PDB file of all heavy atoms in Angstrom:
ATOM      1  N   SER A 447      32.661  13.687  26.334  1.00 80.00           N
ATOM      2  CA  SER A 447      34.011  13.297  25.975  1.00 80.00           C
ATOM      3  C   SER A 447      34.478  14.162  24.860  1.00 80.00           C
ATOM      4  O   SER A 447      33.688  14.882  24.245  1.00 80.00           O
ATOM      5  CB  SER A 447      34.037  11.803  25.551  1.00 80.00           C
ATOM      6  OG  SER A 447      33.360  11.637  24.296  1.00 80.00           O
ATOM      7  N   ASP A 448      35.764  14.061  24.552  1.00 80.00           N
ATOM      8  CA  ASP A 448      36.346  14.902  23.481  1.00 80.00           C
ATOM      9  C   ASP A 448      36.080  14.187  22.151  1.00 80.00           C
ATOM     10  O   ASP A 448      36.993  13.812  21.426  1.00 80.00           O
ATOM     11  CB  ASP A 448      37.836  15.072  23.732  1.00 80.00           C
ATOM     12  CG  ASP A 448      38.434  16.124  22.775  1.00 80.00           C
ATOM     13  OD1 ASP A 448      37.656  16.837  22.110  1.00 80.00           O
ATOM     14  OD2 ASP A 448      39.668  16.225  22.737  1.00 80.00           O
ATOM     15  N   ALA A 449      34.805  14.052  21.809  1.00 88.00           N
ATOM     16  CA  ALA A 449      34.401  13.352  20.602  1.00 88.00           C
ATOM     17  C   ALA A 449      33.771  14.372  19.622  1.00 88.00           C
ATOM     18  O   ALA A 449      33.380  15.457  20.031  1.00 88.00           O
ATOM     19  CB  ALA A 449      33.398  12.283  20.932  1.00 88.00           C
ATOM     20  N   MET A 450      33.615  13.959  18.379  1.00 93.00           N
ATOM     21  CA  MET A 450      32.995  14.812  17.377  1.00 93.00           C
ATOM     22  C   MET A 450      31.521  14.502  17.161  1.00 93.00           C
ATOM     23  O   MET A 450      30.891  15.050  16.277  1.00 93.00           O
ATOM     24  CB  MET A 450      33.744  14.674  16.053  1.00 93.00           C
ATOM     25  CG  MET A 450      35.194  15.070  16.093  1.00 93.00           C
ATOM     26  SD  MET A 450      35.961  14.870  14.465  1.00 93.00           S
ATOM     27  CE  MET A 450      37.671  15.173  14.871  1.00 93.00           C
ATOM     28  N   SER A 451      30.979  13.608  17.967  1.00 95.00           N
ATOM     29  CA  SER A 451      29.647  13.066  17.733  1.00 95.00           C
ATOM     30  C   SER A 451      28.532  14.112  17.909  1.00 95.00           C
ATOM     31  O   SER A 451      27.533  14.060  17.198  1.00 95.00           O
ATOM     32  CB  SER A 451      29.365  11.916  18.669  1.00 95.00           C
ATOM     33  OG  SER A 451      30.328  10.906  18.534  1.00 95.00           O
ATOM     34  N   LYS A 452      28.653  15.053  18.835  1.00 95.00           N
ATOM     35  CA  LYS A 452      27.571  15.968  19.125  1.00 95.00           C
ATOM     36  C   LYS A 452      27.087  16.715  17.894  1.00 95.00           C
ATOM     37  O   LYS A 452      25.910  16.733  17.603  1.00 95.00           O
ATOM     38  CB  LYS A 452      27.920  16.898  20.261  1.00 95.00           C
ATOM     39  CG  LYS A 452      26.756  17.861  20.644  1.00 95.00           C
ATOM     40  CD  LYS A 452      27.123  18.737  21.831  1.00 95.00           C
ATOM     41  CE  LYS A 452      25.946  19.603  22.227  1.00 95.00           C
ATOM     42  NZ  LYS A 452      25.739  20.732  21.280  1.00 95.00           N
ATOM     43  N   PRO A 453      27.987  17.434  17.158  1.00 96.00           N
ATOM     44  CA  PRO A 453      27.490  18.129  15.969  1.00 96.00           C
ATOM     45  C   PRO A 453      26.949  17.199  14.911  1.00 96.00           C
ATOM     46  O   PRO A 453      26.050  17.573  14.132  1.00 96.00           O
ATOM     47  CB  PRO A 453      28.705  18.908  15.466  1.00 96.00           C
ATOM     48  CG  PRO A 453      29.881  18.295  16.115  1.00 96.00           C
ATOM     49  CD  PRO A 453      29.406  17.722  17.423  1.00 96.00           C
ATOM     50  N   LEU A 454      27.418  15.960  14.905  1.00 98.00           N
ATOM     51  CA  LEU A 454      26.890  14.984  13.972  1.00 98.00           C
ATOM     52  C   LEU A 454      25.406  14.702  14.235  1.00 98.00           C
ATOM     53  O   LEU A 454      24.682  14.330  13.296  1.00 98.00           O
ATOM     54  CB  LEU A 454      27.674  13.683  14.018  1.00 98.00           C
ATOM     55  CG  LEU A 454      29.053  13.680  13.363  1.00 98.00           C
ATOM     56  CD1 LEU A 454      29.811  12.402  13.704  1.00 98.00           C
ATOM     57  CD2 LEU A 454      28.966  13.854  11.867  1.00 98.00           C
ATOM     58  N   HIS A 455      24.967  14.867  15.480  1.00 98.00           N
ATOM     59  CA  HIS A 455      23.559  14.640  15.750  1.00 98.00           C
ATOM     60  C   HIS A 455      22.675  15.545  14.897  1.00 98.00           C
ATOM     61  O   HIS A 455      21.653  15.121  14.354  1.00 98.00           O
ATOM     62  CB  HIS A 455      23.252  14.965  17.236  1.00 98.00           C
ATOM     63  CG  HIS A 455      23.848  14.011  18.194  1.00 98.00           C
ATOM     64  ND1 HIS A 455      23.820  14.210  19.543  1.00 98.00           N
ATOM     65  CD2 HIS A 455      24.503  12.835  18.033  1.00 98.00           C
ATOM     66  CE1 HIS A 455      24.403  13.206  20.153  1.00 98.00           C
ATOM     67  NE2 HIS A 455      24.852  12.348  19.253  1.00 98.00           N
ATOM     68  N   ALA A 456      23.051  16.835  14.794  1.00 98.00           N
ATOM     69  CA  ALA A 456      22.264  17.768  14.000  1.00 98.00           C
ATOM     70  C   ALA A 456      22.289  17.392  12.495  1.00 98.00           C
ATOM     71  O   ALA A 456      21.275  17.429  11.826  1.00 98.00           O
ATOM     72  CB  ALA A 456      22.795  19.187  14.182  1.00 98.00           C
ATOM     73  N   GLY A 457      23.492  17.047  12.015  1.00 98.00           N
ATOM     74  CA  GLY A 457      23.584  16.637  10.628  1.00 98.00           C
ATOM     75  C   GLY A 457      22.843  15.367  10.267  1.00 98.00           C
ATOM     76  O   GLY A 457      22.163  15.284   9.272  1.00 98.00           O
ATOM     77  N   ARG A 458      22.973  14.410  11.210  1.00 98.00           N
ATOM     78  CA  ARG A 458      22.239  13.125  10.979  1.00 98.00           C
ATOM     79  C   ARG A 458      20.751  13.347  10.990  1.00 98.00           C
ATOM     80  O   ARG A 458      20.005  12.690  10.223  1.00 98.00           O
ATOM     81  CB  ARG A 458      22.678  12.129  12.052  1.00 98.00           C
ATOM     82  CG  ARG A 458      22.110  10.720  11.818  1.00 98.00           C
ATOM     83  CD  ARG A 458      22.696  10.075  10.578  1.00 98.00           C
ATOM     84  NE  ARG A 458      22.020   8.803  10.326  1.00 98.00           N
ATOM     85  CZ  ARG A 458      20.920   8.624   9.611  1.00 98.00           C
ATOM     86  NH1 ARG A 458      20.294   9.663   9.111  1.00 98.00           N
ATOM     87  NH2 ARG A 458      20.412   7.432   9.442  1.00 98.00           N
ATOM     88  N   ALA A 459      20.265  14.253  11.840  1.00 98.00           N
ATOM     89  CA  ALA A 459      18.838  14.544  11.882  1.00 98.00           C
ATOM     90  C   ALA A 459      18.380  15.145  10.566  1.00 98.00           C
ATOM     91  O   ALA A 459      17.317  14.802  10.026  1.00 98.00           O
ATOM     92  CB  ALA A 459      18.528  15.466  13.046  1.00 98.00           C
ATOM     93  N   ALA A 460      19.195  16.081  10.003  1.00 99.00           N
ATOM     94  CA  ALA A 460      18.855  16.678   8.749  1.00 99.00           C
ATOM     95  C   ALA A 460      18.807  15.648   7.633  1.00 99.00           C
ATOM     96  O   ALA A 460      17.899  15.630   6.805  1.00 99.00           O
ATOM     97  CB  ALA A 460      19.862  17.791   8.405  1.00 99.00           C
ATOM     98  N   GLU A 461      19.826  14.816   7.618  1.00 98.00           N
ATOM     99  CA  GLU A 461      19.890  13.728   6.571  1.00 98.00           C
ATOM    100  C   GLU A 461      18.732  12.773   6.713  1.00 98.00           C
ATOM    101  O   GLU A 461      18.073  12.371   5.761  1.00 98.00           O
ATOM    102  CB  GLU A 461      21.212  12.991   6.687  1.00 98.00           C
ATOM    103  CG  GLU A 461      21.360  11.858   5.688  1.00 98.00           C
ATOM    104  CD  GLU A 461      22.482  10.895   6.087  1.00 98.00           C
ATOM    105  OE1 GLU A 461      22.851  10.859   7.251  1.00 98.00           O
ATOM    106  OE2 GLU A 461      22.918  10.122   5.208  1.00 98.00           O
ATOM    107  N   GLY A 462      18.480  12.331   7.985  1.00 98.00           N
ATOM    108  CA  GLY A 462      17.404  11.368   8.197  1.00 98.00           C
ATOM    109  C   GLY A 462      16.046  11.937   7.873  1.00 98.00           C
ATOM    110  O   GLY A 462      15.178  11.216   7.324  1.00 98.00           O
ATOM    111  N   GLY A 463      15.827  13.202   8.192  1.00 98.00           N
ATOM    112  CA  GLY A 463      14.555  13.824   7.858  1.00 98.00           C
ATOM    113  C   GLY A 463      14.338  13.920   6.372  1.00 98.00           C
ATOM    114  O   GLY A 463      13.227  13.688   5.876  1.00 98.00           O
ATOM    115  N   TYR A 464      15.387  14.298   5.655  1.00 98.00           N
ATOM    116  CA  TYR A 464      15.308  14.362   4.177  1.00 98.00           C
ATOM    117  C   TYR A 464      14.978  12.943   3.631  1.00 98.00           C
ATOM    118  O   TYR A 464      14.091  12.803   2.772  1.00 98.00           O
ATOM    119  CB  TYR A 464      16.607  14.862   3.549  1.00 98.00           C
ATOM    120  CG  TYR A 464      16.661  14.678   2.074  1.00 98.00           C
ATOM    121  CD1 TYR A 464      15.943  15.500   1.207  1.00 98.00           C
ATOM    122  CD2 TYR A 464      17.346  13.588   1.522  1.00 98.00           C
ATOM    123  CE1 TYR A 464      15.935  15.294  -0.133  1.00 98.00           C
ATOM    124  CE2 TYR A 464      17.371  13.365   0.138  1.00 98.00           C
ATOM    125  CZ  TYR A 464      16.647  14.255  -0.662  1.00 98.00           C
ATOM    126  OH  TYR A 464      16.667  14.025  -2.033  1.00 98.00           O
ATOM    127  N   LEU A 465      15.674  11.961   4.129  1.00 98.00           N
ATOM    128  CA  LEU A 465      15.481  10.582   3.635  1.00 98.00           C
ATOM    129  C   LEU A 465      14.046  10.117   3.933  1.00 98.00           C
ATOM    130  O   LEU A 465      13.411   9.477   3.085  1.00 98.00           O
ATOM    131  CB  LEU A 465      16.498   9.647   4.264  1.00 98.00           C
ATOM    132  CG  LEU A 465      16.366   8.165   3.910  1.00 98.00           C
ATOM    133  CD1 LEU A 465      16.503   7.976   2.413  1.00 98.00           C
ATOM    134  CD2 LEU A 465      17.381   7.338   4.670  1.00 98.00           C
TER     135      LEU A 465
END
Side-chain angles (χ1 to χ4, degrees):
S447 69
D448 190 11
M450 299 181 188
S451 305
K452 182 177 183 286
L454 285 171
H455 291 172
R458 185 66 184 88
E461 179 197 20
Y464 168 78
L465 179 59

